[in-house]
Amino acid sequence: MAQLAPGEKKAVSEVSVAVYRPVGYLAILAIGIVAPFLFPAYQSQMAELWLFIVFALTWDLVGGQMGYNSFGNVVFLGVGMYACVLAQVGLFYPVSTYNAARGGGATVFTFDMTQYLEGLAIGLPVGALLATLTALALGSIVLGMRGHYFAICTLGLGIAAGEIANGWEWIGAGSGMVPPNAPDAVGDLSRFYYYLALALAVVTFLVLRWLYMTRFGLAINAIRDNEDKAEAMGLKTTQIKVTAWMISAFFLGIAGGILGNLKRFIDPIDTAFAGPTYGVWMVLMAILGGKGTLWGPVIGAVVFQVLKEASWTYLLGWQRVVLGLVIVVIVVFFPQGIMGFVRERFPDWFGHRVEGGTIAGPARKETLR
Amino acid sequence: MDNITILLEAPVITLDLVLNGLLIGALFALAAYGMALVWGVMNIINIAQGEFVMLGGYVAIVMGVAGIHPLFAVPVAAAFMYVIGWALFHLVIFRVVDRDIFISILATFGISIVLQQLMNTLFGGNVQVADAGLGTALLMGGMVTLAKIKLLAFALATVLAVALVIFLRRSRLGQAIRATAQNARAARVLGIDTDRVYAATYGLNAALCGACGALVAMAYTIHPYIGLPYTIRSFMIVVVAGLGNLAGVIAAGLGLGAAENIAGFVLGTQYQLAFVFLLLVVVLVWRNWRLARRRQYLK
């Protein structure tokens, strides 16, 4: 919000925003809660959408707000996914025999309801914790790099992680890993996972919304705008960067656990450490919605998921080619994203006052520098 | 890891691995030099580099199926890829030349995804080889085997590199490319059409990769998803060697080929790619750490 000079009246937009904002939040939440009952056929896609929103939000924390464009956040997703499922299995059965049996074979592994829920209740936090620790370890090493070196280095990290998982027999290697089967009595659990994904997306959004209002939010923006100056002003940049990456990894770790159970199968390269798909989509969703804004990643994820599902439905066989084309088109022709576009068209919605064609008020956030 | 003892006990196996590694390293160096060219002249990091190699490989495959000897595919692939690169420049790349380098990474990443999925749709995901039918050469009494086609590929890569250097040194276009790399604005002032230079550079890079890919298809294997490792290798080689340093690029390429081959033997082939990508991380971190001691970072 623009700083008001003394004696100046509040703009109309500011009053209306204060009224409409909670209403809007509640409306979105209500839609999220009733959606699986209205469109049961699209339940798993919608659960995926909430997770995509988490992907885009967490990417934007580091990419959009801090200016560190990472292709490697998928590492945290995969670590969280494997850690969660391994905990779910490992609490009750030896992992190696479970994976050797490939979900079937001579021995059948059953989980009753308490075991299943217990595994999940322990698995998700373990996944989050391990992902966060991974971010701490990797961040201390690679966050000294800047710009495109960081981008390519993280790309390498993501793919290397996938290749290692692909060769590691204990976690199922290239044949992948099957999460524990829920007891037959409960039937399909995808609605349960839908609500988990919804809860995660809501919590992530609220935490980041709060975070961007704190000094920490200002600090990461300072790092994005000019890291050398930020450091000269006394910010402990390395510490802040690693912390931001850890926050991002924490939520991605939980998202990984949910996604693995939702998909019912974990392929090391196509679901867990899917750099060329999820890794790039995260970036794309944030850019499509508008980098460095709170709502941008959310809007971008929704639009992208709709695009993706439409191309999957109507262009079967060519869908991945189309997605590649979409990436090129968005990046080249629409880099400011939806929020950036809206901000340029209707600056007063954002509390900028327009004077003689230039935006005054708070400095306009550059989508591209 | 017990393979290490094998290496120590039988140096001849090590020799075999190193020689074969050096042979493929020449091809890595070729693709890397193209990347250095584009990076230096246009300030673009071309993630689609490996896909250009892959496309060149499929040119050789298609010609082999048509009954033409795949060796003729090398010039054909180069010419074909020059056209593709030129077209891509005029469609997409010229729009990202003067923008943030991350935008160029993302845009070329998109192009690379389009190309690999396109080839996957057209040719299927199977591993393919263009058979040149040259047989193998045996050294050291049969202990060291070298496919003759690999030797030929090495020789051709060397010839291409020399031709490229002569081209950049002597020809008008080559001089214009080097002038643009040094200072684009000054080059424009002196009447060089930098847009045409950029288009030619990007096309030349694609042609280099195409020739490299045709050789890869004959000496090694090709499949639609082969691209990204080649891109990463190129990037790594350029980071180690620096821009505009052909000798460094060749040395780094050969070294990488040898290191990768030995690592593939010691760790098992399933971890060979993991080794490449982790090596990239190690190289970058090491370079950055060296610079950080002087309060600098990679630029």
Side-chain angles (χ1 to χ4, degrees):
Chain A
M1 286 296 149
Q3 285 293 315
L4 289 176
E8 199 179 349
K9 280 222 296 276
K10 270 200 168 187
V12 179
S13 62
E14 286 189 40
V15 179
S16 54
V17 160
V19 176
Y20 291 136
R21 185 168 281 164
V23 176
Y25 280 170
L26 286 173
I28 290 172
L29 191 61
I31 291 171
I33 290 172
V34 298
F37 296 98
L38 296 178
F39 312 104
Y42 294 104
Q43 197 164 256
S44 56
Q45 279 94 334
M46 287 189 298
E48 201 176 47
L49 168 63
W50 292 115
L51 292 177
F52 276 13
I53 287 175
V54 175
F55 291 176
L57 279 168
T58 51
W59 186 87
D60 196 60
L61 166 64
V62 176
Q65 301 277 357
M66 203 169 75
Y68 271 74
N69 301 303
S70 156
F71 286 113
N73 285 8
V74 79
V75 170
F76 312 132
L77 182 78
V79 167
M81 194 182 294
Y82 268 116
C84 173
V85 175
L86 287 170
Q88 278 174 278
V89 173
L91 283 173
F92 309 103
Y93 297 105
V95 172
S96 45
T97 48
Y98 176 90
N99 275 331
R102 303 266 172 255
T107 44
V108 176
F109 298 92
T110 52
F111 295 81
D112 62 32
M113 203 62 215
T114 31
Q115 286 181 322
Y116 189 79
L117 289 175
E118 192 182 325
L120 205 59
I122 293 175
L124 289 174
V126 163
L129 185 71
L130 271 178
T132 314
L133 290 176
T134 312
L136 173 64
L138 292 179
S140 326
I141 299 170
V142 301
L143 276 165
M145 262 169 260
R146 305 230 181 143
H148 45 275
Y149 289 99
F150 177 78
I152 298 210
C153 184
T154 47
L155 174 68
L157 275 176
I159 293 170
E163 290 292 338
I164 290 169
N166 202 32
W168 191 3
E169 274 303 329
W170 187 67
I171 58 171
S175 325
M177 186 169 170
V178 182
N181 277 317
D184 295 338
V186 249
D188 188 21
L189 272 179
S190 59
R191 184 158 298 178
F192 168 70
Y193 285 111
Y194 171 89
Y195 284 115
L196 269 185
L198 171 63
L200 177 67
V202 169
V203 170
T204 309
F205 179 86
L206 292 176
V207 167
L208 291 187
R209 179 169 176 261
W210 164 79
L211 194 71
Y212 295 158
M213 291 179 194
T214 57
R215 283 180 61 88
F216 186 82
L218 288 174
I220 56 177
N221 284 353
I223 289 175
R224 176 192 62 194
D225 295 338
N226 192 327
E227 190 167 337
D228 294 331
K229 267 186 199 151
E231 200 167 354
M233 297 296 284
L235 288 175
K236 294 190 169 66
T237 47
T238 311
Q239 214 171 310
I240 292 169
K241 284 188 289 189
V242 175
T243 312
W245 223 25
M246 282 165 72
I247 296 168
S248 174
F250 175 83
F251 292 115
L252 270 178
I254 303 178
I258 297 174
L259 187 65
N261 279 295
L262 187 75
K263 289 239 176 224
R264 308 285 323 113
F265 176 71
I266 300 179
D267 182 281
I269 292 184
D270 291 340
T271 32
F273 299 101
T277 51
Y278 293 145
V280 181
W281 293 351
M282 285 177 196
V283 189
L284 188 69
M285 289 186 287
I287 287 183
L288 173 60
K291 266 172 82 170
T293 57
L294 177 64
W295 277 99
V298 181
I299 297 169
V302 175
V303 174
F304 179 79
Q305 175 75 336
V306 171
L307 273 177
K308 178 166 93 62
E309 290 302 324
S311 63
W312 233 260
T313 313
Y314 298 109
L315 300 160
L316 203 62
W318 293 88
Q319 72 274 39
R320 292 184 179 273
V321 182
V322 173
L323 281 183
L325 286 172
V326 165
I327 294 175
V328 176
V329 169
I330 288 171
V331 168
V332 174
F333 294 100
F334 201 57
Q336 80 272 39
I338 294 167
M339 285 297 276
F341 175 77
V342 172
R343 187 191 287 266
E344 275 170 26
R345 287 295 306 275
F346 308 101
D348 49 336
W349 291 6
F350 293 83
H352 305 305
R353 280 166 302 128
V354 181
E355 292 167 1
T358 55
I359 294 180
R364 221 181 84 219
K365 280 189 178 167
E366 298 245 334
T367 35
L368 278 178
R369 274 165 299 110
Chain B
M1 278 305 172
D2 45 358
N3 286 341
I4 289 183
T5 49
I6 298 180
L7 286 187
L8 293 175
E9 282 165 14
V12 72
I13 294 182
T14 319
L15 182 70
D16 181 296
L17 288 171
V18 168
L19 281 179
N20 274 298
L22 291 178
L23 294 185
I24 193 170
L27 297 179
F28 296 165
L30 206 57
Y33 196 67
M35 181 177 253
L37 201 63
V38 167
W39 193 350
V41 175
M42 306 159 77
N43 200 24
I44 277 180
I45 296 177
N46 183 31
I47 302 287
Q49 196 78 355
E51 271 65 30
F52 290 169
V53 172
M54 186 245 329
L55 283 181
Y58 274 105
V59 171
I61 302 273
V62 169
M63 284 179 70
V65 170
I68 307 163
H69 196 280
L71 270 179
F72 292 109
V74 177
V76 174
F80 173 76
M81 286 312 296
Y82 183 90
V83 175
I84 295 271
W86 189 88
L88 273 175
F89 177 84
H90 284 283
L91 279 171
V92 179
I93 304 293
F94 82 95
R95 300 178 193 278
V96 297
V97 165
D98 288 331
R99 304 223 319 241
D100 185 70
I101 204 161
F102 179 68
I103 293 290
S104 79
I105 291 180
L106 255 186
T108 48
F109 209 140
I111 291 172
S112 90
I113 290 175
V114 172
L115 292 177
Q116 60 179 297
Q117 297 299 347
L118 209 60
M119 294 328 253
N120 191 23
T121 311
L122 294 176
F123 292 93
N126 294 332
V127 173
Q128 305 198 41
V129 182
D131 187 21
L134 288 178
T136 53
L138 300 175
L139 304 175
M140 317 273 294
M143 287 302 286
V144 177
T145 55
L146 295 174
K148 282 180 183 161
I149 181 67
K150 292 185 184 179
L151 290 166
L152 188 63
F154 184 89
L156 282 173
T158 316
V159 169
L160 272 172
V162 170
L164 188 72
V165 170
I166 291 172
F167 168 80
L168 285 176
R169 286 265 166 88
R170 302 270 171 212
S171 74
R172 293 285 292 171
L173 179 59
Q175 286 171 352
I177 288 175
R178 286 189 298 132
T180 312
Q182 280 171 14
N183 189 332
R185 198 155 156 258
R188 268 196 293 276
V189 169
L190 292 171
I192 292 173
D193 183 350
T194 47
D195 276 346
R196 280 184 57 193
V197 168
Y198 287 151
T201 308
Y202 202 76
L204 194 65
N205 167 41
L208 264 184
C209 288
C212 169
L215 294 172
V216 168
M218 280 182 278
Y220 302 93
T221 56
I222 283 282
H223 60 86
Y225 300 102
I226 208 171
L228 198 54
Y230 276 87
T231 305
I232 293 292
R233 286 168 186 140
S234 305
F235 184 82
M236 201 183 333
I237 291 166
V238 175
V239 167
V240 169
L243 291 172
N245 171 3
L246 183 62
V249 164
I250 289 173
L254 296 181
L256 174 66
E260 202 181 302
N261 231 7
I262 289 177
F265 181 78
V266 172
L267 304 171
T269 43
Q270 74 270 31
Y271 288 121
Q272 186 167 339
L273 276 182
F275 170 79
V276 174
F277 290 106
L278 283 178
L279 188 65
L280 164 84
V281 175
V282 168
V283 161
L284 284 172
V285 167
W286 181 76
R287 283 289 314 263
N288 212 47
W289 176 74
R290 287 295 304 272
L291 286 166
R293 290 161 59 189
R294 290 180 308 196
R295 310 290 295 157
Q296 293 170 325
Y297 51 88
L298 275 170
K299 281 201 181 81

